[in-house]
Amino acid sequence: MRRIIQFGTSRFLQAHADFFVHQARIEGQDIGPIAVVKTTKGGDRAGRIAALKSGRPYPIRIRGIESGKVVDETHEIASIDRAYEAETEWPDVLRCFAEEAEIAISNVAERGYETLPEDGAHDYRGAAVPPSFPAKVLALLLARHRAGGRPLLFLPTELISGNGKQLSGIVTGLARMSGQSEEFLSWLARSVAFPDTLVDRIVAQPIEPIGAVAEPYALWAIKRGSFEFLTHRDVRIVDDLEPYARLKLHILNLGHTVLADAWIRRAGPADETVKRVLDDTPDARNLAAIYAEEVLPGFALRGMGTEAERYIATTVERFRNPFLEHRLSDIAQNHPMKLTNRIAAFLAWVREREPGFRAPRLTAVLEGKQI
């Protein structure tokens, strides 16, 4: 048994990593089961945690268009067998991580890597729950080191560039700041792998109390290292994550942001969805022109024209999914940051290769002008 401990109860993980583990186990692979940990205080997930604690299978419904064909199927996922709340069951979390787990997975949102002033003074050998997520990881790793120090694979899935490298660096820095031993630091560098990863799947609708409706498309790209994980059609162990990250960020995410920007400017209805906008509207025609006249030529300049052409076709198919209610109001959250990361960063990347590259439509979006 290769026990997995998972930090985060999101429906994304239920329809992504937990789904993949379930399918691998059905095929006879030695992977899992999963113990889920709720890392944050309070929130409205009590029903979710209770359902996860039951260990009963939960539904994931895959609905959409794949290779031009309609997919509508429900899977009962049985990869999770227990769940903990860190704030009230910390000793159990410590024991599972230190003595049982072979693999850890995290999905704690972009701000989850932030440390707190009190992290440095925390007693990492005491019974109190550490304040921040990185401090919790440090305490758990210290407990594992004291329990014999077996190797660990830690797979972060947060949407942060270089997520594994960043989390590893933060935890190591916190260990040094809090005065941990050189012996522990040496073990941490030698025996705990934090590969960078990239995840992609639209999970737009919940099934209560646990479960979700998700699209057929899925990707979990993991940077290659000296570790074993699982074999699955949607899990790719790769030498370089950047091509996957660029395609996702500057085609899928860029397209979402272009549509959200137009929705904001025309004060569109609160319940308007991506699929509704793509039904032969001016916004859809504008996005098609951006993809054809600016995004694709930009990728071609970076030597990724063929990959971008395929990914654009897949993305448009995903956007047209008739089953997912992906609201533009949700996509429009944190819009200024997304303009910078998805559009401005694309133009800067292309102009590294061709300084004179023109993209009038994307430039107009950045400048707040009507296209």
Coordinates of all heavy atoms in Angstrom, one line a residue, residues 138 170-180 182 184-186:
L138 N 6.4 21.9 7.5 CA 7.7 21.8 8.2 C 7.5 20.9 9.5 O 8.3 20.0 9.7 CB 8.2 23.1 8.6 CG 9.4 23.1 9.5 CD1 10.6 22.4 8.9 CD2 9.9 24.5 9.9
I170 N 10.5 27.6 0.5 CA 9.8 28.3 1.7 C 10.0 27.4 2.9 O 10.3 27.9 4.0 CB 8.3 28.6 1.3 CG1 8.2 29.6 0.3 CG2 7.6 29.0 2.6 CD1 6.8 29.7 -0.3
V171 N 9.7 26.1 2.8 CA 9.8 25.2 3.9 C 11.3 25.2 4.4 O 11.5 25.2 5.7 CB 9.3 23.8 3.6 CG1 9.6 22.8 4.7 CG2 7.8 23.9 3.3
T172 N 12.2 25.1 3.5 CA 13.6 25.1 3.9 C 14.0 26.4 4.6 O 14.7 26.4 5.6 CB 14.5 24.8 2.7 OG1 14.2 23.6 2.1 CG2 16.0 24.8 3.1
G173 N 13.6 27.5 4.1 CA 13.9 28.8 4.7 C 13.3 28.9 6.1 O 13.9 29.4 7.0
L174 N 12.1 28.4 6.3 CA 11.4 28.4 7.6 C 12.2 27.5 8.5 O 12.3 27.8 9.7 CB 10.0 27.9 7.4 CG 9.0 28.1 8.6 CD1 9.0 29.5 9.1 CD2 7.6 27.7 8.1
A175 N 12.7 26.4 8.0 CA 13.4 25.4 8.9 C 14.7 26.1 9.4 O 15.1 26.0 10.6 CB 13.8 24.2 8.1
R176 N 15.4 26.9 8.5 CA 16.6 27.6 9.0 C 16.2 28.7 9.9 O 16.9 28.9 11.0 CB 17.3 28.2 7.8 CG 17.9 27.1 6.8 CD 18.8 27.7 5.8 NE 19.3 26.7 4.8 CZ 20.3 25.9 5.1 NH1 20.9 26.0 6.3 NH2 20.7 25.0 4.2
M177 N 15.2 29.4 9.7 CA 14.8 30.5 10.5 C 14.4 30.1 11.9 O 14.6 30.7 12.9 CB 13.6 31.3 9.9 CG 13.2 32.5 10.6 SD 11.9 33.5 9.8 CE 10.5 32.3 9.9
S178 N 13.8 28.9 12.0 CA 13.3 28.4 13.3 C 14.4 27.5 14.0 O 14.1 26.9 15.0 CB 12.0 27.6 13.1 OG 12.2 26.5 12.2
G179 N 15.6 27.5 13.4 CA 16.7 26.8 14.1 C 16.7 25.3 14.0 O 17.2 24.7 14.9
Q180 N 16.2 24.7 12.9 CA 16.2 23.3 12.8 C 17.7 22.8 12.5 O 18.5 23.5 12.0 CB 15.3 22.8 11.8 CG 13.8 23.3 11.9 CD 13.3 23.0 13.3 OE1 13.5 21.9 13.9 NE2 12.5 23.9 13.9
E182 N 21.1 20.8 11.2 CA 21.7 20.6 9.8 C 21.4 19.1 9.4 O 21.3 18.9 8.2 CB 23.2 20.8 9.9 CG 23.6 22.3 10.0 CD 23.1 23.1 8.8 OE1 23.1 22.6 7.6 OE2 22.6 24.2 9.0
F184 N 18.6 17.5 9.9 CA 17.3 17.5 9.3 C 17.3 18.2 7.9 O 16.7 17.7 7.0 CB 16.3 18.3 10.2 CG 15.0 18.6 9.5 CD1 14.0 17.6 9.3 CD2 14.7 19.9 9.0 CE1 12.8 17.9 8.7 CE2 13.5 20.2 8.4 CZ 12.6 19.2 8.2
L185 N 18.0 19.3 7.8 CA 18.1 20.0 6.5 C 18.7 19.2 5.5 O 18.3 19.2 4.3 CB 18.9 21.3 6.7 CG 18.1 22.4 7.5 CD1 19.1 23.5 7.9 CD2 17.0 23.0 6.7
S186 N 19.7 18.4 5.8 CA 20.4 17.5 4.9 C 19.4 16.4 4.4 O 19.3 16.1 3.2 CB 21.6 16.9 5.5 OG 22.2 15.9 4.7

